[in-house]
Amino acid sequence: MSQKNIIQTPLYKGLQYLYAFLMTNIYFIISNILIILTFFSIPTSFSSIPLYYIALIPMGPSLIALFYTMGKLHREKIIQPTKDFFQSYKKNFFISIRYWLIQLTVITILSVDIVYLISKGYRIWTIISIIAWCFILIATINGFAILATFEVKVKNLVIFSLLMIKNYFLKALLSLMTLLSFAIIWYGYPSEATLGIFSIVVYFLMRTNYSALFDLKKKYSSETGEQL
């Protein structure tokens, strides 16, 4: 069998995907060593929330890098994990930090509210807060997906991420279900799943929202003047 034929075999392509998932996942874990060390050294409690908040701040650039590499893998079917991950990490560092700080702050506040409301037994307000938490989580995912695909200012990034939920509500629900499904898998098999689960989750999220992203580009780039 010639080298060209070997490259075109399903086995070879599968190994390429496996390599891409594994390497980008490793880089994502290394980039988030601060929150990992915090998780294993500081017990999760109400009083430790500020420490976890600080430890999560560096996750922004690594999230955008992971979304970028997985989006490129879906579009082009092949990537250079090391080059693509760290180029995106460096290029989008400051804008991803600004956007992530906004979203992380809102998610943290809502998380504190949920814990407080549960402790007080306010069921209705707890349900409302959980729905709001899920809404912000999906908006955050949309924002990183947009930022990983186009050049957008932070103020418009927040607007576009919310518009994606409004215009593509079923895709938003599918993204949420994807997160919940992989969270269950990770909870059941944490050691094995950690090796590749982050990159695989983001790959599915980018694949789910692929058409919505480019519909968004066609609909709003001319209206806003963004380089979308």
Side-chain angles (χ1 to χ4, degrees):
M1 184 180 292
S2 66
Q3 182 178 357
K4 183 178 179 180
N5 290 334
I6 293 174
I7 292 175
Q8 294 176 346
T9 61
L11 176 60
Y12 183 84
K13 292 179 181 179
L15 289 174
Q16 281 188 316
Y17 271 78
L18 181 61
Y19 174 74
F21 288 141
L22 180 61
M23 293 307 298
T24 52
N25 200 81
I26 289 173
Y27 295 143
F28 180 78
I29 291 173
I30 293 173
S31 301
N32 290 286
I33 193 66
L34 180 59
I35 184 60
I36 292 172
L37 292 175
T38 301
F39 179 79
F40 284 106
S41 59
I42 300 176
T44 53
S45 63
F46 196 83
S47 60
S48 64
I49 288 177
L51 294 175
Y52 274 84
Y53 174 86
I54 294 171
L56 280 166
I57 291 175
M59 185 178 285
S62 60
L63 277 171
I64 191 63
L66 191 60
F67 272 83
Y68 172 80
T69 51
M70 292 299 99
K72 185 176 181 180
L73 180 61
H74 175 63
R75 294 191 307 271
E76 302 179 11
K77 313 305 179 187
I78 187 171
I79 59 172
Q80 295 177 278
T82 304
K83 178 181 177 182
D84 291 330
F85 185 92
F86 288 106
Q87 276 190 348
S88 177
Y89 189 100
K90 180 180 179 181
K91 178 183 177 182
N92 298 295
F93 182 86
F94 291 106
I95 189 171
S96 62
I97 282 287
R98 292 198 297 272
Y99 175 68
W100 177 233
L101 274 174
I102 295 171
Q103 301 304 106
L104 178 61
T105 300
V106 175
I107 289 172
T108 302
I109 291 172
L110 284 173
S111 299
V112 172
D113 285 343
I114 290 170
V115 173
Y116 174 78
L117 292 170
I118 290 175
S119 67
K120 295 297 182 180
Y122 299 142
R123 294 183 180 180
I124 300 299
W125 285 109
T126 299
I127 293 172
I128 293 173
S129 296
I130 290 174
I131 292 172
W133 190 92
C134 291
F135 182 87
I136 295 299
L137 178 64
I138 296 301
T140 303
I141 291 170
N142 290 342
F144 277 111
I146 294 168
L147 190 58
T149 310
F150 312 110
E151 293 184 16
V152 189
K153 296 177 182 177
V154 172
K155 63 177 182 179
N156 286 334
L157 181 59
V158 174
I159 296 172
F160 289 140
S161 65
L162 297 176
L163 283 173
M164 277 188 67
I165 298 178
K166 176 179 177 293
N167 296 340
Y168 311 98
F169 185 70
L170 291 180
K171 288 185 180 293
L173 288 180
L174 183 57
S175 295
L176 182 60
M177 293 304 297
T178 299
L179 283 174
L180 291 175
S181 299
F182 279 101
I184 292 171
I185 295 172
W186 185 72
Y187 180 80
Y189 307 94
S191 300
E192 299 86 348
T194 301
L195 292 174
I197 197 167
F198 302 112
S199 55
I200 294 174
V201 168
V202 172
Y203 177 82
F204 274 94
L205 292 173
M206 290 301 288
R207 191 176 73 169
T208 299
N209 292 290
Y210 180 77
S211 60
L213 287 167
F214 285 90
D215 286 345
L216 191 74
K217 175 183 178 181
K218 294 176 183 178
K219 188 172 183 180
Y220 294 105
S221 58
S222 60
E223 297 178 11
T224 62
E226 286 278 7
Q227 191 177 345
L228 194 65

